Amino acid sequence: MHIFSLPAGHFRPGRTVLIALVLALFVAGCASVPPPNDSMNMAQTQLQMARDAGAADYAPVDLGFAQDKFQLAQSAMAERKYADAASLAEESRADAELAQAKARLGAARAQIQSKMQENSRLRAQGEAAAAAAQAPTPAPAPPASNAQPTEDMPAPPSSALSSPAGDGFQTVPDNAQQPAVDPAGGQP
């Protein structure tokens, strides 16, 4: 008699359940994971946003990591290794987000630096203008020896500037004769 063999016609329910359980696990393990299309799309979108933010200039290493992982995810998708593709797509998305954040920070720093340089330039220009305003003005050059010196004219007396009361402003003197106008519209 064999130790491991059952006599004919003897049924063991525990063994059948164990075989069914192993078979179910095997089938579940072989079941395919759905393609991670959403993860791939999100990773690709995040990569484009990082490029648009200037990650190539401000965070090239992080952008490179994100691009490399996305290419690996695409290869895994082609080989139908969907679990690996989903994991790589998530890593790519995270690296692209980091690259985008670093790019925004770098752009902000560059803008601040530009504003500080502009402020320094304007401050120096203002200081130069203030120094020029405080500097004494040079004395006028003496007149040439062959030129005659000019004298200032005295101001007219205040009575000459004021008009007599009631007369008002007159453009034509009273003693001047007005030219006659031809009724046909011409001049005489």
Side-chain angles (χ1 to χ4, degrees), residues 32-45 69-93:
S32 64
V33 176
N37 293 330
D38 290 340
S39 295
M40 293 294 287
N41 289 338
M42 288 185 349
Q44 188 173 19
T45 301
K69 288 178 184 174
F70 186 73
Q71 288 174 351
L72 290 173
Q74 286 177 324
S75 296
M77 283 283 285
E79 296 172 5
R80 297 183 184 265
K81 295 179 181 178
Y82 298 136
D84 293 341
S87 177
L88 288 167
E90 277 301 310
E91 289 179 28
S92 173
R93 185 192 56 78

Side-chain angles (χ1 to χ4, degrees), residues 19-158:
I19 292 173
L21 182 62
V22 169
L23 186 60
L25 288 175
F26 179 74
V27 170
C30 292
S32 64
V33 176
N37 293 330
D38 290 340
S39 295
M40 293 294 287
N41 289 338
M42 288 185 349
Q44 188 173 19
T45 301
Q46 199 64 39
L47 272 169
Q48 188 59 45
M49 289 171 54
R51 286 185 202 108
D52 292 344
D57 296 330
Y58 296 108
V61 173
D62 295 308
L63 182 63
F65 286 155
Q67 289 173 339
D68 291 345
K69 288 178 184 174
F70 186 73
Q71 288 174 351
L72 290 173
Q74 286 177 324
S75 296
M77 283 283 285
E79 296 172 5
R80 297 183 184 265
K81 295 179 181 178
Y82 298 136
D84 293 341
S87 177
L88 288 167
E90 277 301 310
E91 289 179 28
S92 173
R93 185 192 56 78
D95 287 342
E97 281 182 11
L98 178 62
Q100 181 182 8
K102 285 183 177 182
R104 286 182 179 162
L105 179 63
R109 284 182 177 163
Q111 190 175 23
I112 288 170
Q113 184 67 29
S114 172
K115 295 292 182 186
M116 289 175 60
Q117 288 174 347
E118 178 68 14
N119 286 345
S120 295
R121 185 187 65 79
L122 290 173
R123 188 175 297 117
Q125 187 179 10
E127 288 172 356
Q134 291 178 355
T137 57
S145 61
N146 60 358
Q148 295 181 357
T150 58
E151 294 182 20
D152 288 337
M153 288 182 80
S158 63

